[in-house]
Amino acid sequence: MKQYHQDMKGKIILNLKKIGLIAATGVAAVTLAACGQDGANSDIVTMKGDTIRVSDLYKEAKEYPSTGTATLLQNMTFNKIFEKEFGKKVSEKDVNKEFDTQKASLGSNFASALQQAGYTEASYKDSIRSQLLLKEVVTSKIKFTDAEYKAAFETYHPTVEAYILPETTEDAAKKLVEDAKNDAAAFDKTAKEKNAEMKFDSSNTQIPEEVKTAAFKLKDGEVSAEPIAVTNTQTGTKSFYVVKMIKNADKGTDWKKYKTELKEIITTNKQNDATFVNGIIAGYLKDYNVKVKPTEFSNIFSSYEAAVTSSSSSSKSK
């Protein structure tokens, strides 16, 4: 299924969450009843230059039986529009590169994760393609003004080099802090053996925000005075980090030096802005004159229309 889902940083992720519980036969029965006697050839969604029929939905539902009807129809509609608009900008090479990255990040768990999520390798590549298309859609609508760059620059910290050592208990982390104070050379050796040396800037999504914030305050050769506590929002468990700065960086005042990095930050922020993204999608739904025929499915795009209405109301009130 070409599903439109992203993590909080705009990255493409393997969707492990089931969206619904409706069998393909159930979709067919509901849809046939909604569309009258024309059966499999009945139109469900019409749009400029294309249509989605009962037979199309049934075929998709057979392949993705755990996905709700509304989600199926939404994604099928978006895919048709976005392929026409941006299909040439997303190559098979792009898809395979992202697929390989995701596969490497999950390692030996990749196959089981795919199975759990209801994907095959082929269908997951379809999902990745849809994510890349959506990124093209969003990026095409962003206005990279000087004001946007300057706003991103205010909270940006350039790339630093540091040792970051995680511990499961606060006592173990406190001992590391003491070790760093008592024998810096031994601490550095241990950090290198543990491959704890990292280079990162403020846009890095692999390092917890608490750790980055503490690290950026350190001078070269300085160690965090106390362990840095990080709480896992999903499990509630805590981890503790010790940071030693190797080489910090002063960003200065010229934001243009970091234009590439700032552009990526602006793009990620816009991708995470649901109102912005839904407004773009609503625009395409209007441009393509998308209509839903069965009244039972008439509200499947209402959330996108609501986002535009909300945005317009907010703008007028300012």
Side-chain angles (χ1 to χ4, degrees):
M1 181 62 193
K2 298 180 178 181
Q3 294 179 21
Y4 292 85
H5 55 271
Q6 293 173 289
D7 69 2
M8 292 303 292
K9 299 298 180 182
K11 284 186 162 185
I12 297 165
I13 55 172
L14 184 62
N15 185 14
L16 301 180
K17 180 180 178 183
K18 295 294 184 181
I19 299 176
L21 292 173
I22 180 166
T25 52
V27 170
V30 171
T31 309
L32 286 170
C35 295
Q37 297 185 357
D38 290 338
N41 291 321
S42 296
D43 292 338
I44 305 175
V45 179
T46 62
M47 67 193 82
K48 184 173 65 178
D50 217 329
T51 186
I52 297 173
R53 297 185 174 88
V54 170
S55 56
D56 300 322
L57 176 60
Y58 180 57
K59 181 180 178 182
E60 198 81 355
K62 280 179 66 179
E63 190 168 357
Y64 307 99
S66 296
T67 304
T69 309
T71 302
L72 285 168
L73 288 172
Q74 286 173 354
N75 287 318
M76 291 170 74
T77 302
F78 300 153
N79 286 329
K80 285 180 178 293
I81 294 173
F82 296 159
E83 281 289 356
K84 288 179 181 178
E85 294 286 335
F86 297 96
K88 292 181 179 180
K89 292 191 174 183
V90 178
S91 68
E92 184 178 355
K93 182 179 179 180
D94 296 329
V95 173
N96 288 334
K97 180 180 178 181
E98 184 59 40
F99 178 87
D100 290 341
T101 298
Q102 294 296 320
K103 187 174 183 178
S105 69
L106 288 169
S108 60
N109 296 320
F110 184 70
S112 60
L114 279 181
Q115 185 176 17
Q116 181 185 350
Y119 285 112
T120 62
E121 289 196 358
S123 63
Y124 186 48
K125 285 184 178 181
D126 283 345
S127 180
I128 289 174
R129 180 172 181 81
S130 290
Q131 295 296 335
L132 294 176
L133 283 171
L134 182 59
K135 185 175 182 180
E136 291 289 341
V137 171
V138 174
T139 303
S140 72
K141 299 297 183 181
I142 298 174
K143 295 179 180 178
F144 294 98
T145 63
D146 284 2
E148 290 276 8
Y149 280 114
K150 289 175 182 178
F153 182 66
E154 285 185 12
T155 56
Y156 177 70
H157 194 101
T159 301
V160 304
E161 188 176 355
Y163 294 127
I164 299 180
L165 290 89
E167 291 288 352
T168 55
T169 68
E170 187 173 13
D171 286 342
K174 284 183 176 179
K175 185 178 184 304
L176 265 181
V177 172
E178 289 301 316
D179 289 345
K181 292 178 180 178
N182 295 330
D183 192 337
F187 177 87
D188 291 353
K189 182 180 179 182
T190 299
K192 289 177 180 178
E193 289 173 350
K194 293 184 177 181
N195 294 318
E197 186 174 340
M198 298 190 69
K199 291 183 178 181
F200 56 95
D201 65 6
S202 55
S203 68
N204 184 288
T205 60
Q206 306 303 315
I207 299 171
E209 287 298 322
E210 299 92 332
V211 176
K212 289 190 293 184
T213 299
F216 295 146
K217 295 177 181 178
L218 299 174
K219 298 177 181 178
D220 292 1
E222 190 176 4
V223 179
S224 48
E226 297 288 339
I228 305 159
V230 176
T231 302
N232 186 308
T233 55
Q234 294 181 328
T235 65
T237 58
K238 283 189 175 182
S239 297
F240 300 88
Y241 293 80
V242 175
V243 178
K244 180 175 181 178
M245 180 57 62
I246 300 172
K247 188 179 177 71
N248 208 328
D250 180 8
K251 68 179 180 182
T253 58
D254 185 8
W255 62 265
K256 293 180 181 179
K257 288 171 55 179
Y258 306 101
K259 197 168 184 177
T260 300
E261 294 86 346
L262 297 176
K263 186 173 184 178
E264 187 64 29
I265 291 171
I266 294 168
T267 301
T268 298
N269 289 341
K270 292 296 187 182
Q271 286 176 322
N272 293 332
D273 184 342
T275 301
F276 182 76
V277 174
N278 288 351
I280 293 171
I281 292 175
Y284 279 109
L285 293 174
K286 182 178 180 180
D287 291 344
Y288 274 76
N289 194 29
V290 174
K291 304 292 183 184
V292 183
K293 288 203 168 183
T295 56
E296 288 84 351
F297 304 136
S298 61
N299 293 323
I300 63 174
F301 298 116
S302 60
S303 61
Y304 301 99
E305 296 162 0
V308 175
T309 302
S310 174
S311 177
S312 298
S313 300
S314 176
S315 298
K316 290 178 181 179
S317 66
K318 293 181 180 179

